[in-house]
Amino acid sequence: MTPLVVGNWKMHGGPATSVKLARELVSGLDPQRLTTQIVVAPPFTDLLEVKKCLTTSIALAAQNCHCEDSGAFTGEISPAMLAEIDCGFVIIGHSERRHLFSETNELIEKKLSAVLRHRMRPILCIGETLQERKNGETEKVITQQLDSVLKQLSEDAIGCIEFAYEPVWAIGTGMNASIEQIRDAHALIRRLLNGYCGEAGAREIRIVYGGSVKPENAALIAGVDGVSGLLVGGASLSAESFLKIARAFSH
Ligand code: PGA
């Protein structure tokens, strides 16, 4: 399967900065030698401008969306709006949304279904907090996060989801999860997906790792069994470091 490398720009930039970064990415990529699928997720206000300067080698993602197509939801952006501008992916359930904006598994399920309904690919983020890991609850938390979303969906729909294992304590902290922790969590997610889609179906599904991925650790993490891509926050704000990370899978 083609590895997926996503740059989550979070609330950084603005149209001018985002366009500059997108142009640097485009000019730094050699499409002939590209072995990964690259996706960038700029802030909402920058999506259209960034889209104009992307080539087919880089796809566009939104960082979030509402679960309804339209209505009196001041300040929200709907999946229909994102589909209309040809956004290919939407990040759903990022830990910052779960923890800073109180998004529940129930809400995340609604958003994910809405994204699928509009034929975009959700990038579903799951992962435990430090306290949950210390309490030995990692498996329970990940299982709940997946079950609450997947139990309503058909095998075909699940096959359209990109899964991102992002331990909350590793995001933006400079402290990436260890090789063993990543391997175990990805194996657990794969096992749970087997239960929903059967082994053959689950084998086609990408599970990416996110949390303090840097050019220095990208190749090591990319080589972990079961890792089919990377979700990058801070290090995606520089074209040079993001491109180095994207190349971690080309060998
Ligand atoms: P980070 O963020 O790479 O800055 O840790 C990852 C993420 O939030 O997806």
Side-chain angles (χ1 to χ4, degrees):
M1 89 185 54
T2 308
L4 173 70
V5 179
V6 184
N8 175 11
W9 298 354
K10 307 195 179 183
M11 198 175 72
H12 294 289
T17 313
S18 291
V19 163
K20 181 169 173 286
L21 180 52
R23 289 205 176 118
E24 286 168 1
L25 290 176
V26 169
S27 66
L29 276 178
D30 178 355
Q32 310 296 334
R33 296 179 50 202
L34 197 62
T35 51
T36 51
Q37 180 170 25
I38 301 202
V39 176
V40 293
F44 285 129
T45 50
D46 307 359
L47 284 170
L48 270 176
E49 288 304 312
V50 167
K51 173 138 194 80
K52 284 184 206 154
C53 43
L54 293 181
T55 55
T56 48
S57 321
I58 306 180
L60 195 65
Q63 299 174 15
N64 177 34
C65 71
H66 196 268
C67 54
E68 299 289 339
D69 285 354
S70 64
F73 301 105
T74 302
E76 292 293 311
I77 302 286
S78 84
M81 294 168 184
L82 295 173
E84 191 177 334
I85 65 164
D86 241 345
C87 195
F89 297 77
V90 185
I91 299 174
I92 296 292
H94 188 277
S95 87
E96 285 147 21
R97 301 294 321 169
R98 290 178 188 264
H99 298 286
L100 302 175
F101 299 96
S102 308
E103 291 195 5
T104 60
N105 283 331
E106 290 67 35
L107 178 62
I108 288 162
E109 185 276 315
K110 288 198 182 98
K111 290 185 174 198
L112 186 123
S113 297
V115 168
L116 287 170
R117 204 166 56 242
H118 286 280
R119 308 206 172 283
M120 297 178 287
R121 293 181 80 86
I123 303 170
L124 174 66
C125 301
I126 52 176
E128 78 290 356
T129 63
L130 190 56
Q131 198 53 52
E132 287 161 347
R133 177 163 282 275
K134 282 185 177 158
N135 294 349
E137 294 171 343
T138 301
E139 180 160 346
K140 185 181 100 190
V141 170
I142 291 178
T143 305
Q144 275 170 354
Q145 288 173 334
L146 279 184
D147 279 351
S148 59
V149 170
L150 302 186
K151 62 176 189 260
Q152 279 80 283
L153 297 176
S154 67
E155 284 180 27
D156 282 353
I158 295 172
C160 296
I161 303 174
E162 316 285 358
F163 292 84
Y165 170 59
E166 295 209 300
V168 178
W169 47 273
I171 296 177
T173 58
M175 190 170 73
N176 61 278
S178 71
I179 299 307
E180 291 71 30
Q181 289 167 331
I182 297 173
R183 190 189 300 126
D184 290 352
H186 281 240
L188 166 67
I189 297 166
R190 182 78 59 200
R191 227 172 27 249
L192 292 166
L193 290 176
N194 287 345
Y196 281 100
C197 305
E199 247 175 77
R203 201 175 303 129
E204 304 300 316
I205 298 177
R206 292 186 285 206
I207 307 171
V208 308
Y209 167 81
S212 295
V213 176
K214 305 274 176 264
E216 300 74 43
N217 60 19
L220 195 65
I221 298 174
V224 177
D225 230 17
V227 170
S228 27
L230 299 166
L231 176 46
V232 189
S236 69
L237 295 172
S238 139
E240 193 190 347
S241 70
F242 186 61
L243 289 171
K244 277 189 191 147
I245 292 170
R247 288 185 198 112
F249 288 92
S250 13
H251 35 234

